[in-house]
Amino acid sequence: MGEQVYKIVIGKEEKEYASGTRYLDIAEEYQEQYRDDIVLAVHNNKLRELKHPIEAGGTLSFLTTADTKGRKTYRRSMVMLLEKAIFNLYGTGVRLRVMHMLGQGQYCELEEEACVSEELLEEIGAEMRRLCEADIQIQKNTLHTDAAIAKFAGYGMDDKAKLLRFRRSSHVNLYNIDGYQDYFYGYMVPSTGYLKYFDLLPYEAGFVLLFPNEDTKKTAPFHPSKKLYDTLMEAAAWARQMNISTIGELNEQIVQGRIQDVILLQEAEMEQRIGKIAEQIAQKRDKKFILIAGPSSSGKTTFSHRLSIQLRAHGLTPHPIGMDNFYVDREKTPLDENGQYDFECLEAIDLELFDRSMAQLLKGERVEMPHFNFKTGKREFKGDYLQLGPEDVLVIEGIHGLNDRLLATLPKETKFKIYISALTQINIDGHNAIPTTDGRLIRRIVRDAFARGTSAEHTIEMWQSVRRGEEKNIFPFQEHADVMFNSALIYELAVLKMYAEPLLFAISTDSPQHMQAKRLLKFLDYFLQVPGEEIGKNSILREFIGGSCFHV
């Protein structure tokens, strides 16, 4: 028999390649057409590692380090390079703990080091660069799950052994750099030679592994975010206190019948934090404007209701104000770069009317509040008047709440700013962090389906646009907050799993969103399921799965 030949369509070209040809070989032909390094292939709408051989004809395209999936692949591979360098230098005497993203960097700690010195990082960085220059192949090996569990238990990596214990698949893929093996959630680059651009900076008790961002040929600058760091570390410390720092540990709580206790403890801890915020506000009677802002699916609405209850318990009378009611009439809404209405920019709000209304309320005047009619695209006045007394406060929810251009003319001491986001407390394991954006995306997929009848396909399609708006209008102002509130629940992904999976499976294999859906399904497969009936009616999670006692 002759050699099998496949017809491959790349852009407008049709070519023939023999079986056994790797995507890497084809990528080398096309690399000069790309500004950034090719790191992944997409064959017939399926993501493929470059070292994989072609096994069928069809359409082929490439992803680079400028693409979201390519960027994640680069960063994941860089973490393994860091691991390998630490192992080469110190053996098993120093263990890496990969924690959370800070800006364009991955915050990490060394378990045996109370404080990481610049000298230590210089030594590790030099070894990483040596490995990069050596261009060592990153191999992928398939191992029986039981054998992988035994291997990681032997390494003392109990977090990975626990994770794999709950895997349904009989085999797992391990990656290997020159004899050093690890398990990773997601694909890798073909070799260490791809990993040229990084930096290591000491920060707090650990250090930050810095990656490139928009300019893929150099590392992005590090902008410390102390309030975000403190909030993330507080959540991580609470997770360790609960003995649930990883998915494997959460699954153990589920199989041991302790999940109800976990849910009750988490909700009590969250209510305690909300109560402390209310107490801070109540102690400062000059605070009249409680501004709540955060990215999509952070639970802002439920949080504002629960905060209002706590404020009432402290003798205050809260009044909810929706910033959306101060939209300019639709025809006056600014357009984005694609000529579409940009409802998320600050100029979509009638700042003059908003600031004037708030200033009048602060003076004790009686003000007629607007209502925005989303059907007509017009602002309306329906005789809804508001006047503030000594114990009244306004609870204002909107994405621009932290922007200093909002209420710029009012005294600073009258404003209390709260940043809220779902900052995941647990990791997949010690080397695989869970991106907070994944948790929020899964929340939104579930909520959009039950509350708006929107398909998961459409939600995923719009997600990058939502993320761009957050990067522009929310994240730059998060450090302006007086308080940061983490709305993530340590158990929530185990609950969201049963709602999200059918929605993701409904996305057809030929959809542009199928790759993202497949990735999220693989991620959710790590979790054992927890029924939604266990969740209290006032939980933030009810905003997404339904059944809330609040109007959300």
Side-chain angles (χ1 to χ4, degrees):
M1 289 181 63
E3 188 177 55
Q4 178 72 52
V5 174
Y6 299 112
K7 290 184 178 181
I8 302 293
V9 178
I10 306 172
K12 296 180 179 179
E13 294 183 288
E14 181 176 281
K15 291 193 172 185
E16 292 186 346
Y17 292 98
S19 61
T21 303
R22 300 176 304 170
Y23 297 112
L24 178 60
D25 303 321
I26 305 173
E28 288 173 352
E29 294 180 37
Y30 286 86
Q31 179 60 69
E32 63 181 18
Q33 298 181 22
Y34 292 83
R35 182 177 67 87
D36 308 288
D37 293 339
I38 295 172
V39 290
L40 292 170
V42 180
H43 189 185
N44 294 336
N45 206 30
K46 292 183 179 180
L47 205 60
R48 290 286 185 257
E49 287 181 305
L50 292 182
K51 295 182 75 172
H52 200 282
I54 59 171
E55 297 171 339
T59 59
L60 178 65
S61 60
F62 297 105
L63 297 178
T64 72
T65 50
D67 299 297
T68 300
K69 293 180 181 66
R71 183 181 296 122
K72 289 180 178 180
T73 296
Y74 182 91
R75 293 178 175 186
R76 187 182 304 117
S77 305
M78 186 63 75
V79 168
M80 188 171 186
L81 183 72
L82 171 63
E83 280 185 62
K84 170 63 174 170
I86 292 171
F87 178 79
N88 281 0
L89 292 170
Y90 315 113
T92 57
V94 175
R95 291 192 180 276
L96 175 71
R97 182 165 60 235
V98 178
M99 301 185 72
H100 37 255
M101 289 293 293
L102 288 176
Q104 301 307 319
Q106 187 84 53
Y107 177 73
C108 305
E109 291 183 349
L110 300 177
E111 293 183 4
E112 290 73 16
E113 300 289 330
C115 187
V116 178
S117 66
E118 289 186 12
E119 292 75 19
L120 183 67
L121 292 181
E122 286 175 7
E123 189 174 41
I124 295 171
E127 178 63 9
M128 291 173 70
R129 291 181 177 89
R130 187 192 71 78
L131 292 167
C132 175
E133 291 170 6
D135 195 20
I136 303 167
Q137 297 295 302
I138 301 178
Q139 304 286 353
K140 181 161 74 172
N141 306 312
T142 300
L143 201 63
H144 193 281
T145 302
D146 290 342
I149 291 171
K151 181 182 288 288
F152 286 123
Y155 290 161
M157 297 180 177
D158 293 337
D159 54 324
K160 293 182 185 292
K162 288 178 182 178
L163 177 74
L164 297 179
R165 177 193 163 200
F166 298 101
R167 294 286 287 164
R168 293 177 176 85
S169 175
S170 60
H171 290 80
V172 295
N173 294 319
L174 303 186
Y175 288 94
N176 185 318
I177 300 179
D178 191 26
Y180 180 85
Q181 289 186 302
D182 201 357
Y183 175 80
F184 276 90
Y185 162 60
Y187 289 152
M188 307 288 264
V189 300
S191 67
T192 59
Y194 282 72
L195 306 173
K196 302 181 183 73
Y197 312 107
F198 69 91
D199 203 357
L200 301 173
L201 295 178
Y203 186 70
E204 296 292 334
F207 65 96
V208 176
L209 170 60
L210 278 176
F211 308 108
N213 191 26
E214 293 176 357
D215 184 344
T216 67
K217 304 294 184 180
K218 66 177 183 181
T219 55
F222 179 54
H223 301 293
S225 183
K226 186 64 168 63
K227 289 177 182 175
L228 179 61
Y229 169 83
D230 288 342
T231 303
L232 287 164
M233 294 305 289
E234 180 184 6
W238 190 82
R240 286 196 298 272
Q241 179 184 326
M242 293 286 293
N243 293 316
I244 310 177
S245 294
T246 64
I247 294 176
E249 290 176 337
L250 175 62
N251 287 339
E252 282 189 333
Q253 296 289 327
I254 295 170
V255 299
Q256 291 167 7
R258 299 174 183 167
I259 192 61
Q260 186 60 49
D261 287 345
V262 171
I263 292 171
L264 292 172
L265 284 167
Q266 171 80 95
E267 294 291 351
E269 184 269 345
M270 182 171 282
E271 192 65 28
Q272 188 178 55
R273 284 189 285 125
I274 296 172
K276 286 181 179 178
I277 294 173
E279 187 176 359
Q280 279 183 260
I281 296 168
Q283 287 174 348
K284 301 173 181 178
R285 293 291 175 163
D286 51 357
K287 301 297 182 187
K288 288 294 184 181
F289 305 100
I290 316 305
L291 296 148
I292 302 170
S296 173
S297 303
S298 293
K300 294 183 289 291
T301 305
T302 299
F303 171 80
S304 65
H305 282 293
R306 288 175 65 169
L307 178 64
S308 294
I309 291 171
Q310 290 284 350
L311 291 170
R312 289 190 187 100
H314 283 84
L316 298 175
T317 304
H319 299 274
I321 298 288
M323 208 177 293
D324 290 356
N325 287 318
F326 287 85
Y327 271 139
V328 298
D329 288 346
R330 189 161 295 155
E331 67 270 14
K332 297 179 182 178
T333 304
L335 304 180
D336 63 16
E337 61 274 13
N338 299 316
Q340 304 296 316
Y341 286 130
D342 187 355
F343 296 110
E344 296 189 339
C345 71
L346 184 62
E347 291 71 24
I349 303 293
D350 189 334
L351 290 177
E352 182 180 352
L353 175 64
F354 184 78
D355 285 11
R356 183 173 69 249
S357 299
M358 298 304 111
Q360 290 172 321
L361 288 169
L362 185 61
K363 293 176 184 176
E365 298 178 14
R366 188 168 179 261
V367 178
E368 186 177 10
M369 305 302 290
H371 292 269
F372 192 82
N373 187 324
F374 285 90
K375 290 184 178 179
T376 65
K378 300 286 186 182
R379 198 167 51 235
E380 301 172 349
F381 291 89
K382 300 180 177 181
D384 183 10
Y385 285 90
L386 182 62
Q387 188 171 19
L388 297 186
E391 308 304 325
D392 292 297
V393 294
L394 300 178
V395 179
I396 304 169
E397 178 197 331
I399 66 172
H400 300 292
L402 305 182
N403 193 327
D404 288 336
R405 288 176 58 194
L406 195 77
L407 304 181
T409 61
L410 298 186
K412 184 178 179 180
E413 59 271 16
T414 63
K415 294 173 275 189
F416 191 89
K417 298 181 178 181
I418 302 170
Y419 174 78
I420 175 173
S421 187
L423 306 168
T424 312
Q425 304 100 318
I426 61 173
N427 281 4
I428 296 173
D429 58 36
H431 298 149
N432 289 269
I434 297 176
T436 58
T437 52
D438 279 357
R440 291 194 293 109
L441 174 56
I442 291 168
R443 278 183 171 188
R444 180 153 177 163
I445 287 169
V446 173
R447 183 192 64 190
D448 283 0
F450 101 82
R452 303 170 184 174
T454 304
S455 69
E457 183 176 26
H458 180 72
T459 299
I460 293 172
E461 180 184 11
M462 298 301 296
W463 187 242
Q464 283 306 312
S465 174
V466 171
R467 295 279 292 114
R468 284 193 295 272
E470 294 169 351
E471 294 284 353
K472 180 180 178 181
N473 298 308
I474 299 174
F475 297 144
F477 306 104
Q478 62 188 16
E479 288 293 306
H480 295 190
D482 296 290
V483 168
M484 281 193 178
F485 184 83
N486 182 11
S487 68
L489 298 154
I490 205 165
Y491 62 84
E492 68 175 76
L493 288 164
V495 177
L496 290 168
K497 173 187 172 84
M498 66 178 291
Y499 299 91
E501 282 185 335
L503 302 172
L504 293 167
F505 275 120
I507 298 177
S508 65
T509 56
D510 59 354
S511 167
Q513 316 313 324
H514 179 257
M515 281 189 292
Q516 179 77 305
K518 186 176 179 181
R519 184 185 70 83
L520 292 174
L521 283 166
K522 179 186 174 184
F523 169 59
L524 288 169
D525 195 47
Y526 289 120
F527 293 88
L528 296 182
Q529 191 166 292
V530 172
E533 291 78 14
E534 304 284 348
I535 310 306
K537 299 294 185 184
N538 70 336
S539 174
I540 278 178
L541 195 55
R542 286 289 178 187
E543 186 170 328
F544 305 96
I545 66 173
S548 176
C549 60
F550 303 117
H551 181 65
V552 294

PDB file of all heavy atoms in Angstrom, residues 31 34-37 65 196-197 212-219:
ATOM      1  N   GLN A  31       5.311  30.207   9.280  1.00  0.00           N
ATOM      2  CA  GLN A  31       5.655  31.106  10.380  1.00  0.00           C
ATOM      3  C   GLN A  31       5.952  32.528   9.901  1.00  0.00           C
ATOM      4  O   GLN A  31       5.569  33.502  10.550  1.00  0.00           O
ATOM      5  CB  GLN A  31       6.852  30.561  11.158  1.00  0.00           C
ATOM      6  CG  GLN A  31       7.314  31.446  12.315  1.00  0.00           C
ATOM      7  CD  GLN A  31       6.249  31.687  13.370  1.00  0.00           C
ATOM      8  OE1 GLN A  31       5.879  30.781  14.093  1.00  0.00           O
ATOM      9  NE2 GLN A  31       5.743  32.906  13.454  1.00  0.00           N
ATOM     10  N   TYR A  34       3.337  35.195   9.979  1.00  0.00           N
ATOM     11  CA  TYR A  34       2.812  35.619  11.281  1.00  0.00           C
ATOM     12  C   TYR A  34       3.859  36.467  12.008  1.00  0.00           C
ATOM     13  O   TYR A  34       5.046  36.137  12.018  1.00  0.00           O
ATOM     14  CB  TYR A  34       2.458  34.405  12.147  1.00  0.00           C
ATOM     15  CG  TYR A  34       1.286  33.603  11.647  1.00  0.00           C
ATOM     16  CD1 TYR A  34       1.455  32.645  10.644  1.00  0.00           C
ATOM     17  CD2 TYR A  34       0.016  33.788  12.174  1.00  0.00           C
ATOM     18  CE1 TYR A  34       0.381  31.894  10.188  1.00  0.00           C
ATOM     19  CE2 TYR A  34      -1.057  33.036  11.724  1.00  0.00           C
ATOM     20  CZ  TYR A  34      -0.870  32.093  10.725  1.00  0.00           C
ATOM     21  OH  TYR A  34      -1.933  31.344  10.281  1.00  0.00           O
ATOM     22  N   ARG A  35       3.390  37.522  12.646  1.00  0.00           N
ATOM     23  CA  ARG A  35       4.286  38.368  13.444  1.00  0.00           C
ATOM     24  C   ARG A  35       4.712  37.675  14.725  1.00  0.00           C
ATOM     25  O   ARG A  35       5.829  37.857  15.208  1.00  0.00           O
ATOM     26  CB  ARG A  35       3.579  39.692  13.770  1.00  0.00           C
ATOM     27  CG  ARG A  35       4.429  40.684  14.561  1.00  0.00           C
ATOM     28  CD  ARG A  35       3.669  41.981  14.778  1.00  0.00           C
ATOM     29  NE  ARG A  35       2.519  41.783  15.646  1.00  0.00           N
ATOM     30  CZ  ARG A  35       2.564  41.853  16.970  1.00  0.00           C
ATOM     31  NH1 ARG A  35       3.708  42.091  17.584  1.00  0.00           N
ATOM     32  NH2 ARG A  35       1.479  41.676  17.693  1.00  0.00           N
ATOM     33  N   ASP A  36       3.810  36.863  15.287  1.00  0.00           N
ATOM     34  CA  ASP A  36       4.043  36.216  16.575  1.00  0.00           C
ATOM     35  C   ASP A  36       4.278  34.721  16.381  1.00  0.00           C
ATOM     36  O   ASP A  36       3.931  34.144  15.355  1.00  0.00           O
ATOM     37  CB  ASP A  36       2.845  36.465  17.505  1.00  0.00           C
ATOM     38  CG  ASP A  36       2.502  37.936  17.602  1.00  0.00           C
ATOM     39  OD1 ASP A  36       3.277  38.679  18.231  1.00  0.00           O
ATOM     40  OD2 ASP A  36       1.474  38.346  17.019  1.00  0.00           O
ATOM     41  N   ASP A  37       4.860  34.087  17.397  1.00  0.00           N
ATOM     42  CA  ASP A  37       5.216  32.674  17.304  1.00  0.00           C
ATOM     43  C   ASP A  37       3.974  31.788  17.263  1.00  0.00           C
ATOM     44  O   ASP A  37       3.086  31.901  18.117  1.00  0.00           O
ATOM     45  CB  ASP A  37       6.086  32.262  18.493  1.00  0.00           C
ATOM     46  CG  ASP A  37       7.453  32.924  18.472  1.00  0.00           C
ATOM     47  OD1 ASP A  37       7.881  33.374  17.391  1.00  0.00           O
ATOM     48  OD2 ASP A  37       8.086  32.991  19.545  1.00  0.00           O
ATOM     49  N   THR A  65       1.104  33.234  19.976  1.00  0.00           N
ATOM     50  CA  THR A  65       1.133  33.737  21.353  1.00  0.00           C
ATOM     51  C   THR A  65       0.341  35.031  21.510  1.00  0.00           C
ATOM     52  O   THR A  65       0.158  35.496  22.634  1.00  0.00           O
ATOM     53  CB  THR A  65       2.581  33.969  21.801  1.00  0.00           C
ATOM     54  OG1 THR A  65       3.278  34.745  20.806  1.00  0.00           O
ATOM     55  CG2 THR A  65       3.313  32.654  22.003  1.00  0.00           C
ATOM     56  N   LYS A 196      11.194  32.168  25.472  1.00  0.00           N
ATOM     57  CA  LYS A 196      12.297  33.137  25.551  1.00  0.00           C
ATOM     58  C   LYS A 196      12.006  34.339  26.448  1.00  0.00           C
ATOM     59  O   LYS A 196      12.919  34.972  26.961  1.00  0.00           O
ATOM     60  CB  LYS A 196      12.620  33.660  24.150  1.00  0.00           C
ATOM     61  CG  LYS A 196      13.002  32.624  23.118  1.00  0.00           C
ATOM     62  CD  LYS A 196      13.323  33.305  21.786  1.00  0.00           C
ATOM     63  CE  LYS A 196      13.634  32.301  20.688  1.00  0.00           C
ATOM     64  NZ  LYS A 196      12.405  31.606  20.236  1.00  0.00           N
ATOM     65  N   TYR A 197      10.744  34.664  26.610  1.00  0.00           N
ATOM     66  CA  TYR A 197      10.414  35.967  27.185  1.00  0.00           C
ATOM     67  C   TYR A 197       9.740  35.792  28.545  1.00  0.00           C
ATOM     68  O   TYR A 197       8.603  35.331  28.640  1.00  0.00           O
ATOM     69  CB  TYR A 197       9.501  36.742  26.231  1.00  0.00           C
ATOM     70  CG  TYR A 197      10.004  36.726  24.805  1.00  0.00           C
ATOM     71  CD1 TYR A 197       9.365  35.952  23.832  1.00  0.00           C
ATOM     72  CD2 TYR A 197      11.137  37.451  24.434  1.00  0.00           C
ATOM     73  CE1 TYR A 197       9.833  35.906  22.523  1.00  0.00           C
ATOM     74  CE2 TYR A 197      11.617  37.418  23.132  1.00  0.00           C
ATOM     75  CZ  TYR A 197      10.960  36.647  22.187  1.00  0.00           C
ATOM     76  OH  TYR A 197      11.434  36.606  20.896  1.00  0.00           O
ATOM     77  N   PRO A 212       4.862  37.957  28.627  1.00  0.00           N
ATOM     78  CA  PRO A 212       4.463  38.985  27.647  1.00  0.00           C
ATOM     79  C   PRO A 212       2.943  39.121  27.631  1.00  0.00           C
ATOM     80  O   PRO A 212       2.219  38.237  28.071  1.00  0.00           O
ATOM     81  CB  PRO A 212       4.967  38.413  26.315  1.00  0.00           C
ATOM     82  CG  PRO A 212       5.947  37.348  26.668  1.00  0.00           C
ATOM     83  CD  PRO A 212       5.489  36.791  27.984  1.00  0.00           C
ATOM     84  N   ASN A 213       2.485  40.232  27.062  1.00  0.00           N
ATOM     85  CA  ASN A 213       1.050  40.415  26.885  1.00  0.00           C
ATOM     86  C   ASN A 213       0.785  40.777  25.432  1.00  0.00           C
ATOM     87  O   ASN A 213       0.969  39.959  24.544  1.00  0.00           O
ATOM     88  CB  ASN A 213       0.513  41.464  27.855  1.00  0.00           C
ATOM     89  CG  ASN A 213      -1.010  41.498  27.882  1.00  0.00           C
ATOM     90  OD1 ASN A 213      -1.666  40.494  27.593  1.00  0.00           O
ATOM     91  ND2 ASN A 213      -1.600  42.627  28.199  1.00  0.00           N
ATOM     92  N   GLU A 214       0.417  42.010  25.146  1.00  0.00           N
ATOM     93  CA  GLU A 214       0.106  42.395  23.766  1.00  0.00           C
ATOM     94  C   GLU A 214       1.352  42.352  22.894  1.00  0.00           C
ATOM     95  O   GLU A 214       1.300  41.926  21.739  1.00  0.00           O
ATOM     96  CB  GLU A 214      -0.545  43.777  23.748  1.00  0.00           C
ATOM     97  CG  GLU A 214      -1.936  43.783  24.396  1.00  0.00           C
ATOM     98  CD  GLU A 214      -2.528  45.167  24.463  1.00  0.00           C
ATOM     99  OE1 GLU A 214      -1.836  46.131  24.064  1.00  0.00           O
ATOM    100  OE2 GLU A 214      -3.680  45.292  24.920  1.00  0.00           O
ATOM    101  N   ASP A 215       2.469  42.843  23.402  1.00  0.00           N
ATOM    102  CA  ASP A 215       3.745  42.692  22.708  1.00  0.00           C
ATOM    103  C   ASP A 215       4.321  41.350  23.147  1.00  0.00           C
ATOM    104  O   ASP A 215       4.823  41.200  24.263  1.00  0.00           O
ATOM    105  CB  ASP A 215       4.699  43.831  23.063  1.00  0.00           C
ATOM    106  CG  ASP A 215       6.014  43.762  22.282  1.00  0.00           C
ATOM    107  OD1 ASP A 215       6.313  42.684  21.710  1.00  0.00           O
ATOM    108  OD2 ASP A 215       6.742  44.766  22.248  1.00  0.00           O
ATOM    109  N   THR A 216       4.244  40.364  22.268  1.00  0.00           N
ATOM    110  CA  THR A 216       4.602  39.001  22.657  1.00  0.00           C
ATOM    111  C   THR A 216       6.098  38.760  22.699  1.00  0.00           C
ATOM    112  O   THR A 216       6.531  37.658  23.067  1.00  0.00           O
ATOM    113  CB  THR A 216       3.961  37.980  21.692  1.00  0.00           C
ATOM    114  OG1 THR A 216       4.560  38.117  20.404  1.00  0.00           O
ATOM    115  CG2 THR A 216       2.454  38.202  21.597  1.00  0.00           C
ATOM    116  N   LYS A 217       6.893  39.757  22.345  1.00  0.00           N
ATOM    117  CA  LYS A 217       8.343  39.579  22.292  1.00  0.00           C
ATOM    118  C   LYS A 217       9.059  40.192  23.489  1.00  0.00           C
ATOM    119  O   LYS A 217      10.296  40.246  23.526  1.00  0.00           O
ATOM    120  CB  LYS A 217       8.905  40.207  21.001  1.00  0.00           C
ATOM    121  CG  LYS A 217       8.277  39.677  19.726  1.00  0.00           C
ATOM    122  CD  LYS A 217       8.588  38.206  19.485  1.00  0.00           C
ATOM    123  CE  LYS A 217       8.033  37.737  18.140  1.00  0.00           C
ATOM    124  NZ  LYS A 217       8.314  36.320  17.870  1.00  0.00           N
ATOM    125  N   LYS A 218       8.315  40.674  24.465  1.00  0.00           N
ATOM    126  CA  LYS A 218       8.938  41.167  25.686  1.00  0.00           C
ATOM    127  C   LYS A 218       7.949  41.054  26.830  1.00  0.00           C
ATOM    128  O   LYS A 218       6.727  41.049  26.624  1.00  0.00           O
ATOM    129  CB  LYS A 218       9.410  42.615  25.530  1.00  0.00           C
ATOM    130  CG  LYS A 218       8.304  43.635  25.348  1.00  0.00           C
ATOM    131  CD  LYS A 218       8.888  45.046  25.270  1.00  0.00           C
ATOM    132  CE  LYS A 218       7.775  46.091  25.166  1.00  0.00           C
ATOM    133  NZ  LYS A 218       8.323  47.464  25.070  1.00  0.00           N
ATOM    134  N   THR A 219       8.472  40.961  28.051  1.00  0.00           N
ATOM    135  CA  THR A 219       7.589  40.811  29.207  1.00  0.00           C
ATOM    136  C   THR A 219       6.852  42.117  29.485  1.00  0.00           C
ATOM    137  O   THR A 219       7.398  43.206  29.293  1.00  0.00           O
ATOM    138  CB  THR A 219       8.374  40.390  30.454  1.00  0.00           C
ATOM    139  OG1 THR A 219       9.434  41.330  30.679  1.00  0.00           O
ATOM    140  CG2 THR A 219       8.958  39.012  30.296  1.00  0.00           C
TER     141      THR A 219
END
